[in-house]
Amino acid sequence: MKNLYRIGIFVVVCVITGVLIIFLFDRFVLDVKDIGGRLPQVYENQAELEANQNRQAYAEQTDTSDVENAYGAVRENDALNDAAQDRADHDAEKQNDVTGFLDFGEDGTEEGQAVHTETTDAVATKTTVYEIEEYHRHTHETNVVIERIPAQYIGMSRRELESALALYMEAPSLKDMERGLKEIRLVSFSPEKITVRKSYELEPEYDYYYLTEEQGYVVVYYRNMGTLFCETGIEMNELPTNLQREIRRIKTIETEEELYGFLESYSS
């Protein structure tokens, strides 16, 4: 029994000793390699020395290139991100430019919606629908008329058309002048359709007449002084002096009742 106990102790001691020897041997090998790496190396000839120096220089250059490539990749990524942000800002700006807005009239009521659909190369063409909204301020009525686009507007951009309409307002056509054109503006613009709004405001019509003298007699004309209403047969010499003076200066009578009252008063 004692022999077995001794044998067991001996085996344990041997195992522990073997483990220590292996551990110390590994440490010794590592220390030797470390010392060898720090000791100056001896080369047999100049060619071997130069070859080793070239290998070291190549290794250092490779490390430097890797660092530079990594830094360049980071800078390129930043540049791409900046470019993407610039495009996003530009797109947002462009979206704001084409967003529609409401336009309100003088009385605060909504007159229409102006939709900006102009792009850099958006121009009117001969196939563009030309729509005119005729707004009458007294009656608050709006009539929509579709016409062929005027030839001078073909090829114009939104800004050019707005300038052309401003010039037209300075010297409108005789028809628009007679109808009392007060304002013209561009409501919407696109190559497919253009909408222009014309606002009219006519003075109230009065059935007034003019009295004047022709060949010694009183005659009556309509308000345009170009159409004869009637020849009265009243001699100027039979009228009071003050009234003769008014008629020779062209006397105005505003209503039909007043006119017939005058004729009854001075007819023989």
Side-chain angles (χ1 to χ4, degrees):
M1 189 67 182
K2 290 181 178 181
N3 290 333
L4 290 176
Y5 180 73
R6 289 175 181 177
I7 291 172
I9 294 174
F10 176 75
V11 172
V12 172
V13 171
C14 290
V15 172
I16 294 174
T17 304
V19 173
L20 290 174
I21 291 172
I22 294 173
F23 176 74
L24 294 174
F25 179 76
D26 290 339
R27 291 295 300 250
F28 174 75
V29 172
L30 293 174
D31 292 341
V32 169
K33 288 183 178 180
D34 185 54
I35 294 172
R38 291 181 304 212
L39 291 176
Q41 297 185 12
V42 179
Y43 303 95
E44 294 181 359
N45 51 46
Q46 184 67 25
E48 187 178 351
L49 174 62
E50 292 177 355
N52 184 69
Q53 291 176 346
N54 291 334
R55 284 195 298 273
Q56 292 179 354
Y58 177 76
E60 292 176 357
Q61 183 178 2
T62 302
D63 295 339
T64 304
S65 298
D66 292 340
V67 174
E68 291 180 351
N69 290 336
Y71 179 69
V74 172
R75 293 185 60 186
E76 183 177 358
N77 188 40
D78 292 340
L80 291 174
N81 290 336
D82 293 340
Q85 184 63 37
D86 291 341
R87 285 195 299 271
D89 294 341
H90 177 71
D91 293 341
E93 238 177 65
K94 187 175 178 182
Q95 183 64 26
N96 290 334
D97 289 340
V98 302
T99 302
F101 64 90
L102 293 177
D103 190 9
F104 295 89
E106 295 178 353
D107 56 354
T109 59
E110 180 183 337
E111 289 190 355
Q113 186 177 19
V115 181
H116 292 271
T117 57
E118 178 187 8
T119 59
T120 304
D121 54 350
V123 296
T125 65
K126 63 181 181 180
T127 60
T128 301
V129 176
Y130 189 68
E131 181 182 76
I132 301 177
E133 295 180 353
E134 298 179 346
Y135 174 69
H136 301 274
R137 293 180 176 177
H138 284 297
T139 61
H140 300 290
E141 295 179 354
T142 301
N143 299 324
V144 178
V145 180
I146 304 297
E147 296 182 356
R148 178 178 296 179
I149 184 170
Q152 64 268 27
Y153 296 162
I154 297 176
M156 288 188 177
S157 64
R158 181 185 183 88
R159 292 185 178 179
E160 292 172 339
L161 182 56
E162 288 176 340
S163 300
L165 294 177
L167 290 176
Y168 177 82
M169 190 60 203
E170 294 179 1
S173 65
L174 180 61
K175 179 180 178 181
D176 279 337
M177 291 179 63
E178 291 177 348
R179 298 178 63 186
L181 180 65
K182 295 297 181 182
E183 182 186 12
I184 183 171
R185 62 181 178 83
L186 183 61
V187 176
S188 65
F189 179 94
S190 72
E192 293 75 26
K193 182 180 179 181
I194 292 174
T195 302
V196 174
R197 189 180 186 88
K198 292 182 177 181
S199 298
Y200 297 97
E201 186 174 8
L202 284 175
E203 296 180 358
E205 295 285 345
Y206 292 104
D207 295 329
Y208 52 86
Y209 305 89
Y210 292 110
L211 302 182
T212 186
E213 177 190 9
E214 289 185 1
Q215 298 179 357
Y217 290 89
V218 177
V219 294
V220 182
Y221 282 90
Y222 284 105
R223 63 190 298 266
N224 59 10
M225 285 297 293
T227 304
L228 180 66
F229 177 75
C230 70
E231 296 178 350
T232 64
I234 301 174
E235 295 184 11
M236 289 288 294
N237 295 333
E238 296 178 354
L239 298 177
T241 304
N242 293 338
L243 184 56
Q244 292 183 29
R245 188 180 300 112
E246 289 182 22
I247 293 175
R248 289 191 176 98
R249 293 178 180 176
I250 302 179
K251 178 178 175 60
T252 302
I253 294 182
E254 295 184 353
T255 65
E256 188 174 348
E257 291 77 9
E258 183 181 353
L259 174 62
Y260 285 115
F262 171 83
L263 296 178
E264 291 177 359
S265 301
Y266 294 99
S267 295
S268 56

